Amino acid sequence: MGFGSKWLGWMWSCLSSTKFSVLVNGVPAGFFPSTKGLRQGDPLSPYLFVMGMEVLDFLIRRAVKWGFLSGCKIRGGRRVPLNISHLFFADDTIVFCEANKEHLTHLS
């Protein structure tokens, strides 16, 4: 099992094993399972998002290393060109690759 699938399995476990309980007259009335995963505002959401982005970062870097995606070379003066394959900011992602079917297939 690879790095990405281990993290995804752990994340899915966090989402699918959530249980809730309600208080009836101040007394817990048993647990019931969640059917929709985390809710907006859940304190665990930002951490799961960051872990998901770490996995996506790893997978994109590996695809570039193995030649499945190319990225974009940026040149600045006499410096060595910088290859940028993706950028993350808050909840946005930009992926740089060639506009061809093969690269888009690997990206998906």
Side-chain angles (χ1 to χ4, degrees), residues 24-61:
V24 178
N25 294 328
V27 178
F31 288 89
F32 57 94
S34 169
T35 58
K36 298 287 183 181
L38 297 175
R39 304 291 189 265
Q40 185 175 358
D42 190 302
L44 193 55
S45 294
Y47 299 108
L48 289 174
F49 178 79
V50 168
M51 285 189 290
M53 289 296 99
E54 288 290 327
V55 171
L56 182 58
D57 174 70
F58 174 81
L59 294 173
I60 292 173
R61 286 177 189 267

Side-chain angles (χ1 to χ4, degrees), residues 41 65 72:
K65 179 179 178 182
C72 176

Side-chain angles (χ1 to χ4, degrees), residues 5-108:
S5 52
K6 286 181 184 178
W7 277 108
L8 291 175
W10 181 84
M11 287 173 50
W12 180 249
S13 173
C14 287
L15 294 173
S16 62
S17 63
T18 305
K19 296 193 186 310
F20 298 96
S21 179
V22 294
L23 296 177
V24 178
N25 294 328
V27 178
F31 288 89
F32 57 94
S34 169
T35 58
K36 298 287 183 181
L38 297 175
R39 304 291 189 265
Q40 185 175 358
D42 190 302
L44 193 55
S45 294
Y47 299 108
L48 289 174
F49 178 79
V50 168
M51 285 189 290
M53 289 296 99
E54 288 290 327
V55 171
L56 182 58
D57 174 70
F58 174 81
L59 294 173
I60 292 173
R61 286 177 189 267
R62 187 170 65 178
V64 170
K65 179 179 178 182
W66 290 351
F68 296 117
L69 296 175
S70 60
C72 176
K73 287 194 181 355
I74 308 250
R75 298 183 191 275
R78 295 182 181 200
R79 297 183 190 142
V80 176
L82 179 65
N83 190 25
I84 298 178
S85 57
H86 59 287
L87 297 172
F88 294 139
F89 180 76
D91 60 351
D92 295 320
T93 302
I94 300 173
V95 178
F96 299 93
C97 67
E98 291 182 27
N100 63 42
K101 186 176 181 179
E102 184 179 322
H103 279 231
L104 296 176
T105 300
H106 289 299
L107 183 60
S108 68

